Amino acid sequence: MDYAGRRERLWQSARERGLEGFLVVNVERSDRPNLRYLTGFTGSFGVLLVGEKNLFATDSRYTEQAGKEVAGLPVEEVKGRWLPWLGERLRALGLKQVGIGAHRTSVHVFQELSRLASPVELVPQAGLVEELRRIKSPAEVERIAAAAELTDAGLRWALGELRPGRTEREVALDLEIWYRQSGAEGVAFELIVASGPGSAMPHYRPGNRRIAQGDVVLFDVGVQVDGYCSDLTRVVAVGEPGREVRDVYTLVLGANRAGLEAVRGGKPAREVDGAARDAIARGGHGDRFGHGLGHGVGLEVHEAPTVGPASEDTLAPGNVITIEPGVYLPGKFGVRIEDLVVVTETGCRVLSRFPKDELLVR
Ligand code: ZN
Ligand code: ZN
């Protein structure tokens, strides 16, 4: 990973905004993704100043780890309380205006550091690092593809083990263990196994409900490999599904395909959302698809760009996004089909290989 190149690009965009530096503060994991993106550091505490002079610091818990993970930057060790230490260091550099991430810095840190670093002025900036993270390098795409492949393999395993009588939590936990044993750094989010009426809730949490014959079971699963996430949703019917389940599945599959076909670099994201949304509306379930069509995926499972009806983002080659239309019938069942794709000049490359052309029946 070209961390130095990333810092250089961040310094460039900070300069364009008239700033003399940009500060990333990661306290108790508050901004781990951005700090990891810019340095490779994975610890829970670290600060980075990018500018004419760079500064990286952590505390004694992480000095050795940072020495291994952070290439091309001297690692400083914070002595005493970190806020006064950093305020002092910033003052010593004699800077006027330094940008600081608005999304990930707490009001407390911003206020205290502004006071302690005075006369250095901290200027909140929305999305500077996040902008850079939108376009993935080939090395990043490779890691996301590896995460997607492992996700597919785990789901295949989980479906082989799926039996009526097991609880959602048991199925989710077993799959998480499988992922960790198979090389995942962790799961990308709390795995969703939603059965029966639970599948009609888009962000359901697996509970003690036992999977029963006749259920629709929705799996929304993802892992982290070398820091990068994946995201996949498939549904399976336990026992022969009824007409309505089959019809809704066919409708959502059509919307998933319409969304995938609409993806290409240069396209406004809301038009991609519209292509899938229209397909669902034509099938008569327009009011049963409440969420956006998709989201960016990278070091975080939800990141820029946003693919939704109100999105102002334009897709670009190198974006990695999900396409995940769904139809949710409260009290009955829900169907969502989610694929992970890399945006290209002319379309997209689908990283999720798990079959979807037919409703899976077990
Ligand atoms: Zn998902
Ligand atoms: Zn998703």
Side-chain angles (χ1 to χ4, degrees):
M1 294 288 160
D2 180 19
Y3 299 112
R6 292 171 177 177
R7 292 194 294 270
E8 185 53 43
R9 284 192 290 281
L10 174 60
W11 172 214
Q12 177 72 33
S13 47
R15 242 180 332 208
E16 281 164 12
R17 297 190 186 194
L19 302 164
E20 291 176 311
F22 187 87
L23 190 64
V24 176
V25 176
N26 175 39
V27 193
E28 296 295 340
R29 299 174 169 242
S30 61
D31 200 359
R32 203 163 81 123
N34 282 341
L35 194 60
R36 186 170 188 169
Y37 180 76
L38 294 164
T39 65
F41 180 67
T42 61
S44 65
F45 172 75
V47 295
L48 172 74
L49 174 73
V50 172
E52 194 87 57
K53 289 206 181 90
N54 292 315
L55 179 159
F56 177 86
T58 184
D59 61 33
S60 60
R61 293 173 299 167
Y62 289 117
T63 313
E64 189 184 344
Q65 179 183 329
K68 292 187 180 121
E69 289 180 339
V70 180
L73 278 178
V75 174
E76 296 185 39
E77 193 178 291
V78 172
K79 303 283 184 227
R81 289 164 57 224
W82 73 273
L83 273 165
W85 181 91
L86 184 58
E88 176 63 47
R89 286 291 278 116
L90 290 173
R91 266 188 288 139
L93 288 170
L95 306 171
K96 286 194 195 69
Q97 289 198 314
V98 173
I100 188 164
H103 291 304
R104 297 302 190 127
T105 307
S106 72
V107 174
H108 168 74
V109 165
F110 177 71
Q111 288 178 337
E112 279 296 284
L113 197 56
S114 292
R115 185 174 64 79
L116 292 160
S118 174
V120 182
E121 190 193 347
L122 300 181
V123 188
Q125 300 291 313
L128 221 59
V129 187
E130 288 84 352
E131 282 297 313
L132 300 177
R133 282 170 44 193
R134 283 177 184 226
I135 310 273
K136 271 70 181 178
S137 68
E140 290 181 289
V141 171
E142 208 173 284
R143 290 183 183 193
I144 297 169
E149 197 180 324
L150 186 59
T151 304
D152 287 350
L155 184 55
R156 209 172 300 124
W157 175 83
L159 293 190
E161 300 286 305
L162 191 64
R163 313 255 178 285
R166 310 216 56 216
T167 69
E168 297 165 340
R169 286 161 68 107
E170 286 166 350
V171 175
L173 181 61
D174 286 351
L175 181 53
E176 179 166 346
I177 291 169
W178 190 95
Y179 280 135
R180 285 177 174 272
Q181 283 176 338
S182 307
E185 199 173 296
V187 286
F189 50 90
E190 206 174 320
L191 303 182
I192 296 176
V193 176
S195 65
S199 60
M201 293 179 240
H203 267 193
Y204 184 80
R205 282 189 71 182
N208 290 322
R209 184 181 186 279
R210 289 184 190 283
I211 292 164
Q213 198 69 21
D215 276 353
V216 166
V217 184
L218 182 149
F219 287 81
D220 189 347
V221 295
V223 298
Q224 235 180 338
V225 172
D226 288 331
Y228 285 83
C229 298
S230 61
D231 197 1
L232 171 80
T233 305
R234 291 292 185 266
V235 294
V236 53
V238 179
E240 186 48 37
R243 188 74 257 160
E244 194 177 28
V245 173
R246 287 203 176 273
D247 287 349
V248 168
Y249 189 86
T250 304
L251 180 62
V252 174
L253 181 62
N256 168 280
R257 287 182 175 143
L260 291 174
E261 271 163 36
V263 174
R264 67 171 166 71
K267 191 83 161 271
R270 68 170 169 276
E271 288 181 16
V272 177
D273 177 277
R277 203 165 295 280
D278 288 352
I280 287 177
R282 281 196 301 274
H285 282 301
D287 55 342
R288 297 295 178 206
F289 174 29
H291 57 77
L293 182 64
H295 52 87
V297 174
L299 286 168
E300 290 174 282
V301 74
H302 289 131
E303 56 178 59
T306 299
V307 186
S311 173
E312 292 180 354
D313 293 327
T314 298
L315 298 182
N319 289 159
V320 173
I321 58 170
T322 65
I323 297 295
E324 49 178 309
V327 167
Y328 309 94
L329 305 181
K332 293 206 237 171
F333 67 91
V335 172
R336 176 165 69 251
I337 302 175
E338 175 177 33
D339 289 318
L340 190 58
V341 312
V342 191
V343 179
T344 65
E345 293 281 351
T346 53
C348 67
R349 180 158 74 87
V350 182
L351 301 177
S352 312
R353 299 272 171 74
F354 201 95
K356 64 181 176 187
D357 293 347
E358 306 265 340
L359 171 61
L360 295 160
V361 180
R362 281 207 40 86

